[in-house]
Structure formats: structure tokens, C-alpha cells
Amino acid sequence: MNYQAFKLSKYPQGKITMDIFDQVSLPMPALKEGEFLVKQTHMSLDPAMRTWLQERDDSYMPPVQIGEVMRSYGVGEVVESLNPRFPAGSRVVGVTGWSEYVLGNEEMAVIDPSVSAEAVLSIFYITGLTAYAGLMKIGMPKKGETLVVTGAAGSVGSLVGQLAKAEGLRVVGITGSDEKCKWLVDELGFDAAINYKSDNLEAQLNAAAPNGVDIFYENTGGPIQEIIFNQLNRFGRVIVCGVIADYDNAIPAKGPSWVDINLKSLRVQGFIATDYLEISDEAVSVLGNYLAQGKIQYKTHTVEGFESLPEGLMMLFKGENTGKFVVKF
Ligand SMILES: NC(=O)c1ccc[n+]([C@@H]2O[C@H](COP(=O)([O-])OP(=O)(O)OC[C@H]3O[C@@H](n4cnc5c(N)ncnc54)[C@H](OP(=O)(O)O)[C@@H]3O)[C@@H](O)[C@H]2O)c1
């Protein structure tokens, strides 16, 4: 029996295009002692995938190589096992790949049967750890402060904003449509939301954050970055989680002024969620409690079908998702 997979056929030049992936049919592996076979059911699509297609050797992960199956995170069911830690019938989450079946690895986590794949990918895995570690460990939020988060209607941003609200902050979300702004304020309880594609952004931010900005959780980059940066208060913190507006560009946009970092005693820190794996249990516990109390909620943008993977990845860069992007098959 064979299964389907997508291999990288060439690196993208600028935007991701369909032709950088080849759909192939691969033979099912025969298991050796200690191995287990996972049938994927839900796959996470992440902007980070674009950075895994950058030919650089100094990032936190090596780039996907030409001819390799595209890397991803996913949830699946163990269908065959020669490893007692991962018995057949259990569900797992971990680093997988764009393929219907994957050989499991020891870093995978077994999922509690009561938790849905959507909840795992939205809250209890990398997305939740990213929001939690970035905000709580780097942002060091204090009740009454003002937080601005970009990419606010996406999976990380929507969680960051809700977590900050639960921690007693004033929260302003930046996103790319009026409909998403409405969702942030009406459904998620953000204090204000700004469409970065509208006019008079500086005045809008002034009105939304009248006491200035204490924490800037950066998910996107783009022209709004400088406007937010300029409204940071003294001792402000900038959490550089992602810069999606720059992932397609060979030469990224220039950063903010070091003079302001100096004179306002700002802290600007980039991070990668997997550097914080040791606090995963803490993140799961805090986010789980807030979820149970109704203080945070999640939304998935689910697309069906294995063939949807390349197109789905492109949708992230066009802002076509609200909440966590999941491909189900
Ligand atoms: N540091 C880490 O360990 C880590 C972990 C996970 C994610 N991240 C980063 O966090 C960010 C958010 O990731 P996510 O998974 O939550 O994705 P996401 O926000 O669910 O999806 C991406 C969103 O980015 C926005 N966007 C796309 N192109 C843009 C542009 N040129 N300018 C401004 N906004 C743009 C779109 O929303 P709009 O409609 O609002 O434009 C789109 O829906 C990404 O930069 C990602 O790389 C970092």
C-alpha cells in the first residue's frame, strides 16, 4: 500500500507558489523495533513554514532540503506500533510532515482522549506555548499596562490578546480587516482593534492606547511596526515573535531606532517557542484554566483534504484565516 506526500522541489523566490511542491506516492514503511506508524488526521499550517524554506544555516532549524517531505506539526492516530510508549490506538502530536502517514518519533506527545485535535493545535501545543512564553516570560505583563498585538486575529495573536486581558491589561489588536476587528472586540473582549489597511493609523493608535504602549507583541512587521514602536512608553517591552510581512523578502525591512531603545530603556527580544519547552506544562495548565473559566476561546480555520496543503499555506500570507489554520484529512 502507498500513501501521499508533498516533497519540496525547489525553494520559493519571493511568494510561495504551487510549483515548489511535488505530490508523490510513497511505499508504506515496515516497522522496526521501537518504531510506530502515525496516520495524520489534522495538520497545522504555520507562517514559520516559509522560514523553513529560506536557505540559511543560522536559524533555529535547518531549512527543508530539496527532495525532502515538507516539515509540519500535526496530530494523528498510531495505527501500528512496536513501541510501548505509543500504543496503537493512541493519538499523538508532534513534528510530522506533509504526508498521510509518518513514522513517529520519541519527541511526540500522547494526547489526552478528552482533548480535540483542534484544541491541541490551537492552545495546548506550539501556538499556546508561543503566546504564553512570549507574553508572560518576555513581556512580563503587569495589571493596568497596555499591550498592542499585531496579527491579532491569527492563532498566536488572538491567544496573546485574550491572555493579556485575563491578566488585567488593556489590549489593542492590529489586524487586516474590519470583520476581524469586530471579532476581536465583540467576541474576544479586546478593548480596541485597528485595521492596519485603513488610514490615520497613528491617530487611531493614540485613541486606542491613550496611556501609550507598554508591551508590543510583534507578529507581523510591516509599516504599522514603526507607528507602534514610536508610541512605546519608557521601559516598554517588544516581543519579536514573528515578522510575516518580511518572510518573502530577500532583504527584510529595516528595524527600529536604537536611539529610542537607549533613551526609553526599551527591551526588544526575539524568541522561538521551542526554546521554552521546559515551561510547556505551566503553559498548558494556565491556558487550560483560562479556557475552562471561559476567559479564553479559540477558533480554527479548517480546510479539508490533503491536497489543500500548498494552497492553504498560501492563504496564511493573504490573511484568509481567522484563528488557527488547520488542514483536516
Ligand atoms: N517565535 C515563535 O516561536 C513562533 C511560533 C509560532 C508563530 N510565530 C509567528 O507568529 C506570527 C503569527 O503566526 P500564526 O501561526 O498565529 O499565524 P496567523 O496569525 O494565524 O496567520 C497569519 C496572519 O498574518 C497576517 N498577515 C499575513 N501577511 C501579512 C502582512 N504582510 N502584514 C501584516 N499581517 C500579515 C494575516 O492576517 P491579517 O488579516 O491580519 O493580515 C494572516 O491571517 C507569524 O509571524 C509566525 O511566524 C512565531
Side-chain angles (χ1 to χ4, degrees):
M1 188 179 145
N2 280 22
Y3 66 91
Q4 296 296 301
F6 281 102
K7 288 187 169 182
L8 183 68
S9 60
K10 59 181 173 190
Y11 287 110
Q13 304 299 319
K15 287 189 187 311
I16 289 172
T17 46
M18 296 290 278
D19 62 345
I20 66 165
F21 300 109
D22 278 340
Q23 188 168 350
V24 295
S25 175
L26 299 174
M28 204 69 90
L31 294 191
K32 297 195 217 66
E33 202 51 43
E35 290 185 337
F36 58 103
L37 186 66
V38 178
K39 181 181 191 309
Q40 288 205 81
T41 56
H42 297 78
M43 206 179 285
S44 169
L45 285 184
D46 298 277
M49 289 169 156
R50 178 64 184 86
T51 68
W52 300 340
L53 303 178
Q54 288 170 354
E55 295 176 87
R56 56 186 298 168
D57 58 11
D58 57 355
S59 189
Y60 64 100
M61 274 193 192
V64 178
Q65 301 296 306
I66 305 295
E68 269 184 2
V69 171
M70 179 60 190
R71 183 188 297 142
S72 65
Y73 301 116
V75 166
E77 185 185 335
V78 179
V79 287
E80 214 185 311
S81 178
L82 295 176
N83 185 326
R85 272 192 64 217
F86 301 94
S90 55
R91 285 184 315 142
V92 293
V93 60
V95 177
T96 56
W98 281 14
S99 59
E100 291 175 307
Y101 288 83
V102 288
L103 271 183
N105 56 72
E106 289 286 340
E107 282 73 44
M108 286 182 163
V110 175
I111 301 170
D112 183 311
S114 66
V115 183
S116 70
E118 285 80 3
V120 171
L121 295 178
S122 303
I123 307 245
F124 298 120
Y125 190 52
I126 297 293
T127 297
L129 181 62
T130 306
Y132 183 82
L135 178 62
M136 303 305 286
K137 302 301 172 188
I138 301 174
M140 309 251 185
K142 293 185 211 70
K143 204 170 171 188
E145 288 189 325
T146 297
L147 169 128
V148 175
V149 55
T150 52
S155 66
V156 172
S158 59
L159 206 47
V160 166
Q162 294 179 86
L163 184 55
K165 275 308 292 175
E167 294 287 323
L169 280 78
R170 177 174 178 81
V171 172
V172 180
I174 311 290
T175 187
S177 78
D178 292 345
E179 197 186 342
K180 290 185 182 184
C181 285
K182 195 166 157 34
W183 178 64
L184 293 176
V185 174
D186 293 353
E187 306 287 327
L188 301 192
F190 283 39
D191 296 286
I194 298 171
N195 179 351
Y196 68 84
K197 294 174 182 163
S198 63
D199 297 328
N200 302 321
L201 293 173
E202 201 176 326
Q204 287 193 61
L205 184 58
N206 244 316
N211 298 324
V213 178
D214 300 297
I215 304 181
F216 171 14
Y217 194 111
E218 172 64 299
N219 280 318
T220 66
I224 187 81
Q225 183 184 71
E226 191 180 356
I227 294 167
I228 303 166
F229 184 83
N230 288 342
Q231 297 197 22
L232 279 165
N233 293 328
R234 282 207 79 219
F235 301 106
R237 285 84 78 200
V238 182
I239 304 151
V240 186
C241 173
V243 198
I244 189 170
D246 266 328
Y247 292 166
D248 289 335
N249 300 332
I251 301 175
K254 290 214 182 309
S257 157
W258 284 38
V259 174
D260 288 349
I261 295 173
N262 174 202
L263 298 184
K264 289 191 188 178
S265 303
L266 304 176
R267 186 156 52 79
V268 180
Q269 186 177 334
F271 81 107
I272 293 298
T274 45
D275 300 339
Y276 288 82
L277 287 176
E278 75 279 5
I279 62 157
S280 294
D281 289 349
E282 179 185 325
V284 164
S285 163
V286 174
L287 294 171
N289 281 336
Y290 280 146
L291 185 67
Q293 292 165 25
K295 290 189 174 173
I296 59 175
Q297 52 178 282
Y298 63 88
K299 183 170 187 162
T300 53
H301 182 108
T302 304
V303 169
E304 306 243 348
F306 182 76
E307 290 72 25
S308 321
L309 285 165
E311 181 126 32
L313 184 54
M314 293 192 279
M315 286 169 72
L316 279 174
F317 290 80
K318 295 186 223 151
E320 290 177 18
N321 64 305
T322 300
K324 176 80 213 142
F325 202 114
V326 174
V327 177
K328 188 176 168 190
F329 45 90

